[in-house]
Amino acid sequence: MNIIRLRRWWYAISLIIIVPGTISLFTHGLRLGIDFQGGQLLEVQGRVAQSEIQSKADQLKLKDLSVTPAGDNSLIRYRDEAAPKQQQSDHLALSSQLAASHHKEVRYETVGPSVSRDITRNAIVSVALAALAIVLYISFAFRNIPPPMTSWNFGVAAIIAMLHDALLLLGVFSLLGAFFKVEVDSLFVTAVLTVIGFSVHDTIVVFDRIRENLRRERGEFEAVVNRSILETLARSLNTSLTVLLTLLALYLFGGESIKLFILALLVGIASGTYSSIFNASPLLVSYYRYQQQRALNPKRAPA
Amino acid sequence: MSLRVKFWLILVLTVVTAVLAYPREDKILHAIGLKKASLHVQQGLDLQGGAHLVFQADLAKTAPADRSKAMDSLIDVIQKRANPSGTSEISVQRQGSDRVIVELPGVKDVNDAIDRIGRTAKLLFLEIPPSTSGTPQPIDTGIGGKDVDRADPDFDTQTSQPVVRLTIKSDARSKFGDLTTKIHNENGQLVTLLDNQVVFGPATVSQPITDGNAQLSGNFKSIGDARKIAQEITAGALPVPINLVEERTVGPTLGLESIQKSLVAGIIGLLVVAIFMVSYYRLAGLLAVAALLIYTLITLTLYKLSALTPYSIVLTLAGTAGFILSIGMAVDANILIFERMKEELRSGKSFVAAVEAGFDRAWTSIRDSNASTLITCFILYFFSGASPIIKGFAITLGLGVLVSLFTSVVISRTFLRLIIRTNLGRQPSAYGLRTNEATR
């Protein structure tokens, strides 16, 4: 099997999957939950129709009311801009009306604007820090790379694979937000960070093998990379399979309130497996080819 | 350390952690003479039900130099209000420069708790001079809540009505004595307000109070009413106004449902991984599953033991996901080692050499790849703000990675070294290889 020779196909598959989500990300963005925007969230038992509570919400001057099902329960979101004391009594008024129609409240969350600003800032800071720390770590872990590659090449390829996974995950959730009103919360940020970590984790195992093989023999660079991918293929697939199987168990049988979190991990880890096999290492070869062509023919820009 | 000693140590570790991880470990510990030993995994509010409240102090009117002190006394007051008996597992913590997090596990009436915590509770003693002409104006006496040491509910010895007894602080006793003497002599009246509500008077003072023991007989409906007022006075006034800026309340039913579902998901996840490992790696897979079970026991034991230290691990719903995810990741190290071993066997190495080479060669991959997950966990834990959800996930995943490093590198390795001494362990099929793929 020659994975390297087919690399343009692998890149194309990645693009086909990533482009729609990315377009959605730039046009619709993500549907932000109360963690990032502030607002109120109520979980009640049973299915509630929005019409059941719309008039009450209007009367209480609650904005942006939306109702979505969550398992056997319903999630009710709104934004109450009254003073905190008033918000408390508005919530009571709404939940007692719901309780009267046998929708018992099981969860209530309210996030004020100052808190949501902090959560957003923390999310940005932690994603940026994690990315930075991982970049530093990769350049440290991949020092002493035998020629023709440098640790810098390995680092950039791992980071592109990582961005691939992050972008795919964000894109999928942007599409889910646009079509199914799926919102992102702090747990989603956690999922993004976990996926980033896993993506690099997976890529490192393949790169480690490439480094080892480069040290041991001086073959054709492409052949060494291809053999390294094949040698680690069983491990990559088996590890991802066990992680995906446990996640699938969590998705199917776990708690309702972490379902989207688990879905994010499923999407991200599947992507991480793909990118570590079909993107990260082939990119090393593409870059190697590019350098060689440039050395041979400095004037013509190679493809 | 010889292989035999290692094996016995692993066996001891397994038994000890199995006892400690067992849900009713107190019975077993009791049987072997360890009394009063009871451990539990500390559950987050999303699992046991309860309220997570964040209050923000309004420090605009407080001088910057006094803010830190104001926050300290604010936390003190909130602590007394939220947890008057000091016995329940309520936690009050400062977050950042101007916020206070209050965690109320199993609270029944959240709104009542919010009201109780958010009350200003300003106690005022006002003097009403004897009326000479027109309506008399109450005068602030300068004595207030800060001068009260404690307040207790009680019944009046004569009328049997509920009252609140006040103990005036010793340094304010003479001031209070002077005031009551003055009102008594001038035949004026005293009125006591709590948040602009009358809790005593207006009434004349029949006798000067010089011993610092006053009594508020303010028409309390019941002894419970008097107790509530007494608690408020004892806790003292809020030094600065506060606002509720975040609330996350989970009912006990949802929490219980989450626990049961996570448990089911965890068991199914573990089973599926076990089936996969055994069918793919055969005997080696079975060893990996044994290591995985020990891994689960060690992790659960660490959760329980951590509750005895100040750094207790709180298991949240996201935390259980982190734990279950770490099961999947824990086998990764085993898979890396087994795949490497198989390669070495295919290249014609002996079983002993293949085991050693498998571990040695796989180690750099295991170390480097887990480091990136640990970095992520570290950042999630320290830079996620105060969110208990994210912290819970980071800690369980991070701990899982560390424990799995131990179980795969130490425990699986010992098992493998032992197994290759047996006849069964020297069959290529024991590792999922075809007979012709390896030399014996």
Side-chain angles (χ1 to χ4, degrees):
Chain A
M1 195 163 42
N2 197 331
I3 287 174
I4 292 298
R5 196 169 1 143
L6 298 172
R7 62 184 181 278
R8 290 197 177 82
W9 286 99
W10 309 131
Y11 299 156
I13 291 173
S14 286
L15 284 179
I16 289 168
I17 297 171
I18 286 179
V19 166
T22 311
I23 291 172
S24 167
L25 196 62
F26 281 103
T27 53
H28 295 88
L30 291 160
R31 213 180 148 90
L32 299 176
I34 64 167
D35 283 353
F36 303 116
Q37 276 200 319
Q40 282 75 21
L41 175 110
L42 243 99
E43 183 171 345
V44 296
Q45 290 174 344
R47 289 289 166 84
V48 178
Q50 184 153 350
S51 54
E52 283 180 66
I53 48 169
Q54 187 68 57
S55 63
K56 189 75 188 175
D58 291 343
Q59 184 199 328
L60 296 169
K61 299 200 178 72
L62 308 179
K63 292 180 180 163
D64 304 337
L65 180 76
S66 79
V67 182
T68 43
D72 298 332
N73 295 349
S74 299
L75 290 179
I76 299 162
R77 295 181 178 88
Y78 61 87
R79 219 144 45 81
D80 190 347
E81 284 163 354
K85 277 253 181 277
Q86 185 60 39
Q87 287 181 8
Q88 223 177 308
S89 64
D90 289 347
H91 163 224
L92 273 179
L94 189 64
S95 77
S96 56
Q97 189 195 314
L98 285 160
S101 50
H102 304 291
H103 297 299
K104 193 172 164 260
E105 181 180 302
V106 290
R107 180 160 71 109
Y108 171 68
E109 295 187 352
T110 173
V111 178
S114 63
V115 173
S116 61
R117 265 198 304 276
D118 280 9
I119 294 177
T120 310
R121 201 194 52 218
N122 284 332
I124 294 169
V125 168
S126 45
V127 170
L129 272 177
L132 185 73
I134 286 172
V135 169
L136 287 176
Y137 179 72
I138 294 171
S139 47
F140 169 76
F142 286 95
R143 62 199 188 284
N144 311 325
I145 297 286
M149 287 283 117
T150 65
S151 62
W152 191 81
N153 300 144
F154 274 63
V156 170
I159 289 159
I160 292 175
M162 179 180 104
L163 289 177
H164 168 280
D165 304 331
L167 206 58
L168 187 136
L169 180 54
L170 290 172
V172 167
F173 270 74
S174 169
L175 288 170
L176 286 174
F179 292 107
F180 300 102
K181 288 188 180 177
V182 166
E183 292 186 343
V184 297
D185 53 11
S186 326
L187 269 181
F188 179 74
V189 178
T190 310
V192 172
L193 285 173
T194 311
V195 165
I196 289 177
F198 184 86
S199 166
V200 173
H201 173 127
D202 232 18
T203 306
I204 282 178
V205 173
V206 186
F207 280 9
D208 214 51
R209 184 58 74 97
I210 297 175
R211 172 171 61 184
E212 190 188 319
N213 286 342
L214 279 177
R215 274 192 194 142
R216 263 200 289 184
E217 73 232 81
R218 305 218 154 254
E220 178 90 3
F221 181 64
E222 284 164 49
V224 172
V225 172
N226 197 56
R227 204 178 53 249
S228 306
I229 295 175
L230 292 180
E231 281 170 358
T232 50
L233 195 62
R235 172 267 154 193
S236 291
L237 293 178
N238 285 354
T239 292
S240 299
L241 201 64
T242 54
V243 173
L244 290 176
L245 285 174
T246 41
L247 284 174
L248 204 63
L250 268 175
Y251 184 79
L252 294 175
F253 307 105
E256 195 62 44
S257 43
I258 51 168
K259 235 177 188 153
L260 288 171
F261 172 58
I262 302 298
L263 181 68
L265 288 174
L266 270 170
V267 170
I269 285 177
S271 165
T273 309
Y274 182 86
S275 72
S276 68
I277 299 170
F278 298 104
N279 288 340
S281 310
L283 275 172
L284 286 178
V285 173
S286 292
Y287 185 74
Y288 174 72
R289 280 283 190 88
Y290 169 79
Q291 272 189 323
Q292 281 204 321
Q293 290 211 354
R294 209 170 54 170
L296 287 173
N297 196 349
K299 275 179 194 162
R300 217 182 69 202
Chain B
M1 214 186 301
S2 85
L3 215 48
R4 190 178 290 263
V5 174
K6 265 193 191 161
F7 177 74
W8 282 105
L9 281 179
I10 291 170
L11 210 63
V12 169
L13 180 74
T14 309
V15 172
V16 170
T17 53
V19 168
L20 292 176
Y22 182 65
R24 295 304 315 269
E25 83 293 329
D26 51 332
K27 284 196 172 165
I28 303 177
L29 292 175
H30 199 87
I32 57 169
L34 284 170
K35 274 164 200 158
K36 270 195 191 169
S38 173
L39 299 165
H40 62 279
V41 176
Q42 204 178 341
Q43 293 170 353
L45 294 177
D46 54 348
L47 291 182
Q48 62 168 312
H52 171 87
L53 306 172
V54 182
F55 292 93
Q56 184 154 29
D58 179 3
L59 296 171
K61 286 180 191 148
T62 314
D66 298 336
R67 284 181 183 168
S68 177
K69 231 174 96 186
M71 287 303 291
D72 289 343
S73 69
L74 176 67
I75 286 172
D76 192 46
V77 171
I78 292 179
Q79 185 95 52
K80 285 180 187 154
R81 287 183 184 188
N83 196 4
S85 56
T87 49
S88 46
E89 286 185 8
I90 287 167
S91 97
V92 179
Q93 280 177 303
R94 180 163 166 179
Q95 182 206 353
S97 60
D98 60 350
R99 293 201 190 126
V100 181
I101 302 174
V102 181
E103 306 229 291
L104 306 166
V107 64
K108 296 228 168 52
D109 189 343
V110 185
N111 287 304
D112 178 61
I114 294 170
D115 287 340
R116 211 170 58 226
I117 292 167
R119 288 278 287 265
T120 318
K122 196 170 181 193
L123 188 71
L124 281 178
F125 291 90
L126 300 177
E127 175 191 354
I128 305 174
S131 68
T132 41
S133 58
T135 13
Q137 284 302 310
I139 311 161
D140 189 355
T141 59
I143 296 176
K146 62 181 190 314
D147 297 314
V148 177
D149 186 30
R150 56 178 296 119
D152 299 288
D154 201 356
F155 290 102
D156 187 286
T157 41
Q158 274 141 37
T159 63
S160 314
Q161 290 299 307
V163 293
V164 172
R165 287 197 191 286
L166 296 183
T167 313
I168 308 292
K169 280 184 186 157
S170 49
D171 57 353
R173 267 177 206 171
S174 64
K175 206 165 62 173
F176 195 71
D178 292 349
L179 173 73
T180 45
T181 311
K182 179 170 165 259
I183 297 175
H184 174 74
N185 291 344
E186 288 175 1
N187 206 21
Q189 285 185 312
L190 182 69
V191 61
T192 312
L193 303 177
L194 183 66
D195 280 349
N196 298 324
Q197 258 189 315
V198 174
V199 287
F200 171 79
T204 55
V205 178
S206 52
Q207 224 179 336
I209 303 164
T210 50
D211 62 352
N213 289 316
Q215 179 177 309
L216 301 176
S217 48
N219 299 322
F220 301 116
K221 281 188 219 87
S222 65
I223 187 73
D225 232 22
R227 182 174 300 122
K228 230 168 143 176
I229 298 279
Q231 277 174 2
E232 262 177 51
I233 295 173
T234 309
L238 288 181
V240 285
I242 55 171
N243 274 315
L244 181 70
V245 289
E246 185 182 350
E247 177 191 343
R248 294 179 198 264
T249 301
V250 172
T253 47
L254 189 66
L256 195 66
E257 210 182 288
S258 301
I259 294 180
Q260 285 162 349
K261 282 186 171 172
S262 303
L263 203 63
V264 170
I267 291 170
I268 293 175
L270 202 63
L271 268 178
V272 172
V273 169
I275 291 170
F276 172 77
M277 289 299 285
V278 173
S279 54
Y280 198 93
Y281 294 109
R282 304 302 158 116
L283 185 61
L286 200 65
L287 298 181
V289 173
L292 196 59
L293 288 177
I294 298 175
Y295 158 83
T296 309
L297 294 177
I298 294 177
T299 316
L300 284 175
T301 303
L302 285 178
Y303 289 164
K304 281 185 166 184
L305 289 181
S306 78
L308 303 176
T309 72
Y311 308 98
S312 76
I313 297 164
V314 179
L315 197 62
T316 60
L317 190 53
T320 61
F323 173 58
I324 296 171
L325 183 63
S326 71
I327 292 179
M329 291 194 163
V331 288
D332 177 44
N334 282 310
I335 291 177
L336 274 166
I337 294 162
F338 294 162
E339 285 298 331
R340 206 63 205 232
M341 253 187 81
K342 280 162 83 168
E343 274 180 54
E344 305 295 339
L345 285 173
R346 281 197 200 104
S347 73
K349 283 214 174 101
S350 72
F351 281 93
V352 177
V355 167
E356 297 313 316
F359 274 92
D360 288 344
R361 295 254 168 87
W363 171 243
T364 53
S365 293
I366 295 172
R367 182 196 60 200
D368 292 352
S369 59
N370 280 301
S372 76
T373 305
L374 283 175
I375 289 173
T376 317
C377 291
F378 183 81
I379 286 168
L380 276 173
Y381 189 82
F382 286 102
F383 297 95
S384 59
S387 167
I389 307 171
I390 298 178
K391 279 198 157 59
F393 176 77
I395 197 117
T396 50
L397 184 60
L399 190 74
V401 167
L402 287 176
V403 175
S404 77
L405 277 179
F406 171 75
T407 51
S408 57
V409 174
V410 177
I411 296 183
S412 303
R413 185 180 205 159
T414 308
F415 284 171
L416 269 177
R417 280 175 172 169
L418 282 169
I419 214 81
I420 51 169
R421 294 176 165 194
T422 66
N423 248 339
L424 189 64
R426 283 195 223 120
Q427 307 289 335
S429 59
Y431 306 92
L433 282 170
R434 282 188 298 276
T435 329
N436 57 2
E437 276 186 295
T439 46
R440 260 180 88 178

